[in-house]
Structures are given as C-alpha cells and as structure tokens.
Amino acid sequence: MTDLSAGHGPRGAGAGTIPDLDAVSFGPFSLRSRLLQKDGEPVKLGSRAMDILRLLVSRAGEVVPKSEILSYAWSGLSVEEISLRVHVAELRKALGDGKDGVRYITNIPSRGYCFVAPVQRGTRAEPPAPASLPPNKVAPSPSLPHRLDRMVGRDEIVAELAPRLLRDRFVTLRGPGGIGKTTIAVALAHDLCDRFEGNVHFLEFGPLKDAALVASTVAAALGLVVHHNDPSDSIVNFLRGRRLLLVLDSCEHVIDAVARLAEDIHREAPGVAILATSRESLLVSGEQIFELVPLPGPPQGTRLSADEVLGYPAARLFVDRANAAGHRDDLTDEDAEVLVQICGKLDGIALAIELAAARVGLYGLREMAALLDSRLQLEWRGRRTAPPRQQTLGATLDWSFGLIGENERVVFQRLAVFAGHFTLKGAIAVAAEQETPEDRVIDALEQLVAKSLVSSQPDGASRRYRLLDATRAYAMQKLVDVGEANVIARRHACHVQRTLEAGPTAQGGSGQLSRSHQRAGLLADARAALAWSYANDEGADLRVPLAGSCTGLFVELNLLNEARIWSDRALAMLDDADRGGRWELELQSTLGHASMFTERNSEQAEAALRRGLEIAQTLGDHANTFRLLSRLNMYYRRTGGYRHLVPTARHAERIARLIGDTAGIAGSKALLGVSYHLAGDQAEAQAHLDEGMRDDAALRGTQPGHFAYSRTPQIPLARVLWLRGYPDRALECVLPLVGASAPRDVVMHCIALCWSASVFGWVGDWSAVETMSARLATHASMHGLVPYEAVATGFRAQTLIAHGEVTGGIDLLRSALPRLHADRYELYMSAFAADLSRGLALSGRLAEGAQVLHETTDRVEQEGGAFDMPELLRLRGELEAQSGNLDAAEASLVASAELAERQGALSWRLRTEMSLARLRERQGVQDPREQLARTYARFTEGFETADLKAARLMLNPPSA
C-alpha cells in the first residue's frame, strides 16, 4: 500500500488541482484521500498512478485530455506520453481492468482517458453476487470457442470494434498469422452475445481445404439441410429478416468463396453482422477493414523498472504465459532489461511471444534472449507496408521446433495429418509405432500442449486437441521433408474409418447433442482422408471402405451431394472382391438415398436402392434390409408407384419382427399405415398406425443411425382419421404436428406441414391451410428442398380457389404442376390436378378441366389406384353432370361411392352422396337425399366441419 498524501511537492500554476475526495467507491474498491482499498484490504499503487486515479475518478464519465493528466501528475516536469501509458497500465493492472468484462478506464484515441465505472460517494459499492452468468446476459452460443481466461493487450481493440461492428455490420479483422485475430474475434463474439440474443455463429474455415464447400459448411453451421450443389441462395433466404452475428474465421485460403457469400449476405440480410478474420482483405462491397497491429512493447534502449515494463501488453503477455507454463520467479528490474530485448525481437506477434514464454522455465530469460538471436531469422512477409525487420511466424515455428526433443518432434509432425480436432486416441493411432510406443506419444502430446504447439480444450469428460492452422502447415512440411507424409496419411485414413465404424459409444459421451457434436467433429478429417486416398496410390485399397464409412456421415449431416458424389465414385472402383459385400451395400444404399433428393427421384436412385436391398438380403443384414425397404417405400411414395407400397412395407414389418427392436416394430407399423393409406385401405391403415402410436415415444428417441429413424405414425394418422369419418380426432392429431411436437428431422417436418395442410383443407379451415403453405414455403426455401416449394405453391392455389380467386389459383397450379412432374414428385399431383380441373370448370373452361381430370384418373388407375380415387371419380361425375351427360355422371358417382365404401373412407363417401343427391334431384328421383341421410347418420363427430355442415343443410334446408 502507498499513502503519499503529500504528493510530489507543489503544483505549478498550470498543473491544475482537484478537490480532496471524500470516500468514494466503485465495484469492490473504495478510495479515500490517497488510500485505495479492495474489499477492505489496501491495494499497492504507485504515487503517480494514484494521482492519475484521483483525477480520473473526480471527473468520472468525462474524457480527461492526456496533456491535462501529464500536467497534473508530473507538475513542472517535461515528460513523454509513454510515461503516462506505463502508469495507466499499472493502474489498470491494480484494478483488474478488463477481467470478467469489468471496465474502469478506457482510452479515447487522440483525446485522453475516461473513468467509465459508476462511482458512489459516501458508501462502498457492494460486490456483485456470484452467478453462473452476469445479470441480463445471454448464454454464449454452443458454436463459440471458449474465450481466454485472460486476454492481454486487446481489451481496447475489442471495445472499439464492438460499436463499429454494430454500426457497419461487416468488418474484416486483418493481420498476419499468429497476431491474435481469432482471439479477438472470440472475445468480441462473447461480448456481443447478449446484443444478438445468443444468435452468434462461429465458423472456423481453417480445416476446410476445398473452397467449393464453403457455402455448405456455412449452411450446416446454421442448421440448414440443402440438397443441391450451391446452397448460397438458401443461406441468404434463411438469414434474410433475421438478426444474428456471423463470425468467419481464417478466411485467407478460401477467400474467393467466402468473399462472394459474405457480400451476398451483407447486401440481402440487413439484420446480420459479419466479422471476418483473414490475412488479406475480402475486397468486396460493404467490407470495412480493421488492421490489427502487433502488441505494443516497451521502447528499446530505455531503462525502465519492472512495473513500467509490465505496463506494455507484449511484456505482460510474455510474463503471463511464462507464469502459466510454470515459471514463477518475480520479474526484477534487471530482468526487465532482458525482457525489453526479448519483446523487441519477438516484435509483438502474440504466437511468437507465447511460444517463447512457454520455454522460459527451462532456459531462463537470458538464455532465451540468446536463443532468439541464434535460432530465429527476423523477417516479415505479411503486410506489404510492414517494416522488413519484423519476423515471420515460420521463423518462430522453426525456433520452437528446434527447442523440442526428438520424440516430441516426431509426434508433432505426425499430428499435422489431422484436419480438425483430434482425441488422445486419435493421436496414438497416427503417431504410435514400435519406435514411438503409446506411452511416449502420450508424454509427447502433454509436452506439446505445455509448449503451446498444440492447443487443448475440454470436451465433456475428455479433451480435444488441435494444431493451429499455421502450426499444422509447418508441421506438415516437416513430415513431408522426412518422407513420412503418405505413411502417416494412411494411418490417419484408417483411424477415420475405424472411428466412423465404431460409432459414438467408442468416442465417449452420450445423448443426441453429444453424439451429433462428435460426429460433426469428424467431418474435416473424413474429407481429408477421402481426398488423400483417392489422390495417392498408397491409399488405393482404402478407397472403397473409407468412402463406405464416410458417406454415412455425410447423409447423417445432410450433405447429400457429397454423399452422392463419393458413393458413386467408390462404386466405380469396386473390384470382384468387393461386389456383393458390405461396402457395396453401404454405397448403394447411400447413392440411392442421396440421389432421390438431389437427382429428382431418378431411375438411378431406384436401381441403387434395389441393388442394395439385394445385397442386404443375401448377407442377412436385417437392419440394412429394413432401411433399404423403407427408402424404397419413400421412393415409391414420391414417384406415385402406389402398387409397390404395401408389399415393401409388409416385407419391412417381417424384418422388424426378426430384429425385435421396439422402435423398429413401431416404425414398420408407421410404414404399413402410410402404405395402406396411400394405396386406399383406410381401415388397415388406421389399425397399423394405432399400433405404431403405442410405441411412438421409442421412435422419437431414435438417433439418425437407427434403422427406423424418423418414422412418425402421427403424420399419416391425422389424414386417415379424417377419411375414416373422425374429423375432430383428425384435428386433435394434427395440431401437435405443427406446434411444439413437430418432427425434428427437416424432411419429416415438411411432410408434417404438407399433410396437415391437407387435413385443414378437408375440414374447410382455409386460413390454417394458408398458414401451413406459408410455413412450408419458408422452411423448404431455407433448406433447399425445392420440390416442397412447389407443393407449398399448390396449397396456396387451393386456398385462392376456395376463396373465389379462381384465376390466381389456376395460374399458381399451372406453375407448380410442371415443376413437380419434372422432379418425378407425383405424390401431390393428383390432388392439385383435381383442383386445377375444378378451377377451370368454375372459370367456364369445362372441356379443358375435364381433360385435365381425365389424364389424372388414367395415370392413377395405371398405378393401381390410390386413396383419393373416390374423390377423382366424384369430380369426374360433377363435370359430366355440368356438361349434361347425366347417365355418365351417375355411373361415375356410383363408382365413387362404392370405392369409398371399400376403402373405408366415410368422408369421401359423404361428399359423393351429396353430389349424388344433387344429381338425383335433377333426374327427378323421389326422395333423392335418402342415401345421404343414412351416410350422415354414421358420423359421430365433426359436425361443425365444412362437409358435415353442408350435408346437414341439404338434409334440413331452411324454410322459404
């Protein structure tokens, strides 16, 4: 503690004075006269730092010019501004300025300093209550890396960047490698988390080697599912109208792709702020450059005390990292001279400082200074305008590599093969051998982490490791130089394959989020392993099995284009030994599934699925047999091949019972239910769906790797209930599907919206149909599911026709139907074609409407009929009646009623009986509503829905 109430002697006339301070408090501190205390304990503070504190506190909230501070604290003396900076640094250190987000003193460039903390006079402020999060703070996004416990010398930059980013929305933090761009970006993202209500996405492009994958990487980070080559439009559509912060880290090696996407987002999504870090500018419209300069260091050739030297961020960072590495000696004034030399040689590059500091405990300060002279060549090749004397990061790494032992060098080089994070098990897999046994790898990894060559962070109960991008490139070159690159790459590829085959249990962790996190973390290494094996003869024998393992991951992560490309490529390389084996099975299954969504339900998709099914059955692989039958069933649903649905579903049920898995059996019931529903047997459909619903909880708990993943009986059950004559129960069933219980799988969510919209339309709630179609359009556009956008257009057209806007509805259907047909997506074609036919008839184009309906019924009959065939026959009878052909109309309507009865579709029958009643009234039949009354009497609910209200009105017309 220092209490020099006498000051430094008399102040000059121009020095300025401040009144004696009564007791004031700020945060945990209290200040009375020249005594500073923290939580009642005296705080050691130099006399000039005390003068500066008293002046700033007395004018809290004001910017005090530097000249005025110098005049007050150094009255009558001529001193340089550097002295002020040294003492302000001392003061900030004493106050803990910047720790845990607490700020006391801020620098206003070119103006002065300001005391920004709230000041209370007379009473001491109470310390804040401990909490897991500060009040009114939002928990950081899971995608954000952990921020450093202590960031040295960059707090003012973060404080300056925050308002600039909020104002300009697009800032690139530019600077050379190792200078601390990512550290600042992480800190800024955490600070702004609450401003964006937690909507912060941190994308690290360092592991990405193919610029063509930039957009899909961004899409995956945003949770989008895209099924086309360039998801940029989907990303922009998703971000338009949203408020979030997007951090694009390490952009330089994929800069063209990042630049294009960032420019589009900035232009089209005004609520999105973009922070990029790069060694060069993106050079696009809207970008604002923030040049990150090296950490300020103490001036060379001056004699400063230890405290004064520590006022400079470069020196503080060095000492802080040295202490963290185990060096506990206090810095003396003599040491300070050496530290000034070291800081000058390291030139303010954060990574270079950290690498040097990590070895101080081994060599000492003086030896470290000598090593820097002998082992590093100082040269800067980053910014063109930077002075030539500034060192390269490569030189720093050369020096660091020279300081580690031979065992550490071997392991360090081999770890370069990892494209992303890796585990201890992974490190052992690629680095261990007879000459480097497992225990030596573990020891080397521990040393590499301690020496800052490998970064480490917690991952649940274990840890993840990573080489920084520049460090990895350096280590990889060393690996190439010693001739081990292909040997280690092969080990890495084998490790990736084994890890993917082993599944999440072998990787540790549990639960859906943990599993997804683990699997997504393998993506960069899966891509790297594939790229190496297909480019090098040494990996030729790994190509098929590696692709078989990796493509399953791509499907799981909804990277279906990659899944299709790699499975197709691997299948072309199958030899006789692989044909008919497990890898062809996996590849054919993946190719069929991915092609179904990316290649417009092509015949290639069906052929691949059928070949995979043939292999699975031959191998007795029941899980894959079920999966392939399910995928084939989906294919036939989409393409309108209804006659294949029940046989494939029956087969799947038999397989599920052989497996004996509860979720699998429930999934088979869902498959049977939807198959019978679409094929036109609603009684059987309801029976199977009711069975499936009993174990729906087991289905909802399945993970993407489970053979029955994403089967949801509730979706088709709602439609079946309406058809069976239970409109109220149908609505009760459908409401959760569009609310909190909506399916988590994005494709199943689309199906839920589609089938819910159909139920709302059947009961006559066209406002709900309009809502569902809007949500479907947004969701489909967001995830690049183009066919569902056409379906949304069809539902919108239905709404327009129902509201009497017939011309608009016809126009929309004219645009939607060709799009669905081009995609071979026939599932919704008959319903929309029927609406088009009805719309044309309403607009007076009866013959044209009849032709559309005739083509539709012919197509459905060729496929063996479908659930909506009774409705198509009813509409045909209505059009025939309008054209005056009453006999033909009666035949069509009678056929419709009989088919509806056979299908167990009471609601279709009610509609047909109303049409028949109108026809028989025209024919002069006595008591034309008799059959309608009997059908109406079979209903026990739904009396306020559209059809039942219309039937009741026909049976009990209002009196004249």
Side-chain angles (χ1 to χ4, degrees):
M1 179 195 64
T2 300
D3 184 6
L4 299 176
S5 56
H8 300 292
R11 303 288 189 201
T17 60
I18 62 173
D20 287 339
L21 290 171
D22 295 328
V24 297
S25 61
F26 42 92
F29 296 95
S30 63
L31 175 63
R32 182 188 296 273
S33 185
R34 300 184 65 79
L35 176 63
L36 178 66
Q37 294 179 310
K38 180 180 181 181
D39 295 327
E41 295 295 325
V43 177
K44 182 179 180 180
L45 199 63
S47 59
R48 297 208 188 271
M50 175 63 76
D51 286 340
I52 295 169
L53 175 63
R54 282 165 50 82
L55 178 59
L56 294 177
V57 169
S58 71
R59 296 169 61 178
E62 300 179 27
V63 178
V64 182
K66 296 177 181 178
S67 60
E68 187 172 339
I69 301 173
L70 287 167
S71 179
Y72 176 79
W74 285 271
S75 177
L77 300 177
S78 177
V79 296
E80 296 183 2
E81 187 179 307
I82 189 173
S83 298
L84 174 59
R85 293 169 58 193
V86 168
H87 286 84
V88 168
E90 176 192 354
L91 178 55
R92 282 178 166 153
K93 182 179 179 183
L95 296 175
D97 196 354
K99 286 187 177 180
D100 300 321
V102 178
R103 300 304 307 271
Y104 294 102
I105 300 171
T106 186
N107 176 34
I108 310 301
S110 303
R111 295 181 61 191
Y113 293 92
C114 178
F115 194 87
V116 295
V119 174
Q120 292 184 344
R121 298 186 181 275
T123 58
R124 177 181 171 276
E126 292 297 325
S132 57
L133 282 173
N136 301 319
K137 290 288 184 180
V138 177
S141 166
S143 72
L144 271 182
H146 296 288
R147 71 185 303 168
L148 292 177
D149 292 336
R150 186 183 181 205
M151 182 174 62
V152 178
R154 298 304 195 188
D155 291 320
E156 290 182 1
I157 289 177
V158 172
E160 181 182 351
L161 269 173
R164 183 169 176 179
L165 181 59
L166 292 172
R167 181 190 69 231
D168 297 331
R169 293 181 40 244
F170 186 2
V171 175
T172 295
L173 192 58
R174 184 177 66 188
I179 201 168
K181 301 183 295 295
T182 299
T183 296
I184 291 173
V186 170
L188 182 58
H190 277 276
D191 284 353
L192 292 178
C193 194
D194 59 328
R195 295 294 297 269
F196 289 90
E197 299 180 345
N199 296 317
V200 177
H201 295 272
F202 194 100
L203 288 97
E204 182 185 21
F205 289 121
L208 200 63
K209 297 307 175 189
D210 186 353
L213 300 178
V214 164
S216 60
T217 300
V218 175
L222 293 172
L224 306 183
V225 178
V226 291
H227 302 312
H228 45 78
N229 288 326
D230 185 5
S232 299
D233 290 341
S234 296
I235 293 170
V236 173
N237 287 336
F238 172 77
L239 294 176
R240 191 180 285 117
R242 282 175 164 77
R243 175 171 170 77
L244 56 82
L245 172 61
L246 203 58
V247 183
L248 310 177
D249 187 47
S250 301
C251 301
E252 51 272 359
H253 61 301
V254 288
I255 197 161
D256 290 338
V258 173
R260 287 191 297 270
L261 182 58
E263 184 178 48
D264 289 343
I265 292 171
H266 176 71
R267 183 178 62 249
E268 301 292 340
V272 175
I274 301 172
L275 176 65
T277 73
S278 178
R279 298 182 190 180
E280 60 179 302
S281 304
L282 273 61
L283 298 177
V284 293
S285 175
E287 180 191 33
Q288 301 293 316
I289 304 299
F290 189 98
E291 188 76 31
L292 185 59
V293 299
L295 286 168
Q300 300 296 304
T302 59
R303 293 184 62 87
L304 300 174
S305 68
D307 287 341
E308 287 173 328
V309 169
L310 290 177
Y312 291 87
R316 281 208 313 278
L317 177 62
F318 188 98
V319 172
D320 183 80
R321 296 299 184 260
N323 289 339
H327 182 66
R328 293 288 183 264
D329 294 343
D330 292 332
L331 188 71
T332 66
D333 287 348
E334 288 185 356
D335 292 336
E337 294 183 26
V338 182
L339 181 54
V340 169
Q341 297 175 32
I342 291 175
C343 288
K345 293 174 182 179
L346 295 175
D347 212 17
I349 304 300
L351 181 55
I353 293 170
E354 294 183 5
L355 290 170
R359 303 300 294 179
V360 172
L362 180 62
Y363 293 103
L365 276 175
R366 295 186 184 278
E367 290 78 7
M368 182 61 59
L371 282 170
L372 287 172
D373 284 335
S374 62
R375 305 298 293 271
L376 282 178
Q377 298 298 317
L378 303 179
E379 182 183 8
W380 189 269
R381 295 193 299 269
R383 289 187 296 120
R384 293 181 178 89
T385 57
R389 65 176 179 81
Q390 293 176 328
Q391 68 187 54
T392 65
L393 184 59
T396 304
L397 290 165
D398 272 335
W399 158 80
S400 180
F401 188 75
L403 293 179
I404 62 178
E406 182 61 29
N407 183 55
E408 292 166 15
R409 289 185 186 184
V410 170
V411 173
F412 175 60
Q413 292 165 176
R414 293 173 179 176
L415 294 180
V417 75
F418 285 104
H421 290 89
F422 57 90
T423 62
L424 176 60
K425 181 178 179 181
I428 293 170
V430 303
E433 59 183 8
Q434 185 174 357
E435 293 78 10
T436 313
E438 181 176 321
D439 59 340
R440 293 178 67 183
V441 172
I442 296 171
D443 180 66
L445 180 58
E446 181 180 346
Q447 292 300 313
L448 291 170
V449 171
K451 296 167 187 175
S452 299
L453 282 168
V454 174
S455 63
S456 170
Q457 68 180 66
D459 184 21
S462 59
R463 300 193 72 81
R464 290 192 302 162
Y465 304 91
R466 179 180 177 268
L467 272 69
L468 297 179
D469 190 37
T471 309
R472 177 178 178 266
Y474 176 89
M476 180 57 74
Q477 185 58 54
K478 292 290 184 184
L479 189 67
V480 172
D481 291 344
V482 299
E484 281 196 332
N486 282 330
V487 172
I488 301 305
R490 181 181 176 85
R491 290 186 196 171
H492 171 258
C494 291
H495 166 69
V496 169
Q497 182 191 335
R498 287 194 302 267
T499 304
L500 287 171
E501 286 188 68
T505 302
Q507 302 169 52
S510 60
Q512 180 186 349
L513 291 178
S514 175
R515 180 188 193 280
S516 300
H517 175 71
Q518 293 165 9
R519 301 284 287 178
L522 294 169
L523 179 60
D525 283 293
R527 287 168 168 167
L530 281 170
W532 173 82
S533 67
Y534 279 78
N536 293 273
D537 291 340
E538 292 89 340
D541 61 315
L542 297 178
R543 291 169 183 168
V544 169
L546 184 62
S549 299
C550 292
T551 52
L553 175 66
F554 295 152
V555 170
E556 186 176 318
L557 298 178
N558 289 296
L559 299 170
L560 296 187
N561 269 304
E562 286 184 72
R564 176 179 54 80
I565 291 169
W566 284 110
S567 57
D568 196 24
R569 191 171 178 182
L571 284 167
M573 295 185 172
L574 285 177
D575 56 24
D576 292 339
D578 289 321
R579 294 191 189 282
R582 58 176 295 213
W583 295 123
E584 187 186 0
L585 164 60
E586 185 65 34
L587 292 166
Q588 294 285 11
S589 176
T590 300
L591 179 62
H593 176 75
S595 297
M596 188 179 356
F597 290 98
T598 61
E599 294 291 306
R600 295 183 167 183
N601 299 305
S602 64
E603 292 180 358
Q604 181 191 25
E606 182 182 13
L609 292 173
R610 283 201 165 279
R611 172 59 180 162
L613 178 60
E614 176 187 347
I615 298 171
Q617 290 174 314
T618 301
L619 296 177
D621 186 339
H622 296 321
N624 271 311
T625 297
F626 185 99
R627 181 180 286 110
L628 283 155
L629 286 167
S630 178
R631 288 176 176 177
L632 268 171
N633 190 276
M634 170 69 82
Y635 176 84
Y636 293 132
R637 274 180 270 161
R638 292 168 65 88
T639 57
Y642 297 148
R643 66 180 180 275
H644 300 296
L645 294 180
V646 172
T648 57
R650 280 289 183 198
H651 192 173
E653 183 193 32
R654 291 193 297 271
I655 298 300
R657 293 199 178 280
L658 284 174
I659 296 172
D661 179 83
T662 301
I665 293 172
S668 73
K669 292 300 181 182
L671 207 60
L672 273 167
V674 71
S675 298
Y676 275 115
H677 161 57
L678 292 174
D681 189 338
Q682 306 311 322
E684 281 290 329
Q686 183 179 355
H688 289 292
L689 291 171
D690 283 341
E691 284 190 65
M693 283 295 293
R694 285 198 288 270
D695 290 313
D696 187 48
L699 271 179
R700 290 181 178 270
T702 58
Q703 300 301 318
H706 192 279
F707 66 88
Y709 177 69
S710 286
R711 290 5 179 249
T712 308
Q714 196 170 358
I715 295 176
L717 181 59
R719 298 204 337 166
V720 170
L721 287 171
W722 183 86
L723 289 168
R724 294 281 289 150
Y726 305 110
D728 290 342
R729 288 177 57 189
L731 289 174
E732 291 174 3
C733 188
V734 82
L735 288 175
L737 296 174
V738 295
S741 300
R744 65 182 185 267
D745 181 85
V746 293
V747 174
M748 293 301 290
H749 187 61
C750 279
I751 296 173
L753 289 171
C754 291
W755 288 28
S756 298
S758 64
V759 172
F760 285 124
W762 290 339
V763 300
D765 188 348
W766 294 106
S767 175
V769 175
E770 189 168 16
T771 299
M772 295 300 101
S773 64
R775 287 176 57 183
L776 177 61
T778 300
H779 188 75
S781 175
M782 181 189 308
H783 294 289
L785 301 172
V786 178
Y788 288 110
E789 293 183 59
V791 176
T793 301
F795 282 121
R796 172 63 179 156
Q798 284 184 332
T799 304
L800 291 176
I801 293 173
H803 289 159
E805 301 177 40
V806 178
T807 301
I810 290 173
D811 291 342
L812 286 180
L813 287 170
R814 290 284 196 197
S815 70
L817 287 169
R819 289 157 58 192
L820 290 170
H821 186 69
D823 287 335
R824 299 189 70 206
Y825 197 24
E826 304 291 332
L827 180 58
Y828 301 96
M829 288 283 287
S830 59
F832 292 153
D835 289 315
L836 176 60
S837 173
R838 189 162 60 90
L840 291 168
L842 289 171
S843 64
R845 297 147 71 179
L846 189 60
E848 193 175 349
Q851 179 61 31
V852 169
L853 193 60
H854 174 73
E855 293 172 355
T856 302
T857 53
D858 280 353
R859 184 175 67 250
V860 173
E861 285 175 341
Q862 287 172 8
E863 289 295 334
F867 83 100
D868 56 356
M869 193 63 186
E871 179 69 353
L872 296 175
L873 292 172
R874 184 188 73 83
L875 290 173
R876 187 175 73 183
E878 290 275 6
L879 295 184
E880 289 165 341
Q882 289 181 49
S883 65
N885 191 345
L886 301 188
D887 290 340
E890 182 174 14
S892 294
L893 292 174
V894 169
S896 170
E898 291 174 349
L899 181 57
E901 191 66 27
R902 288 197 301 273
Q903 288 191 359
L906 183 60
S907 291
W908 283 155
R909 172 135 197 186
L910 181 69
R911 287 188 173 185
T912 301
E913 292 296 351
M914 286 191 283
S915 296
L916 271 169
R918 286 188 291 268
L919 175 65
R920 287 166 178 159
E921 191 168 15
R922 288 180 59 182
Q923 293 172 326
V925 175
Q926 186 177 6
D927 200 1
R929 302 177 182 85
E930 180 181 1
Q931 186 58 47
L932 172 60
R934 283 198 291 268
T935 302
Y936 180 84
R938 294 167 64 184
F939 282 85
T940 58
E941 64 175 63
F943 297 106
E944 295 305 313
T945 57
D947 287 348
L948 286 161
K949 288 168 69 175
R952 185 166 65 247
L953 186 62
M954 288 185 69
L955 293 171
N956 301 288
S959 57

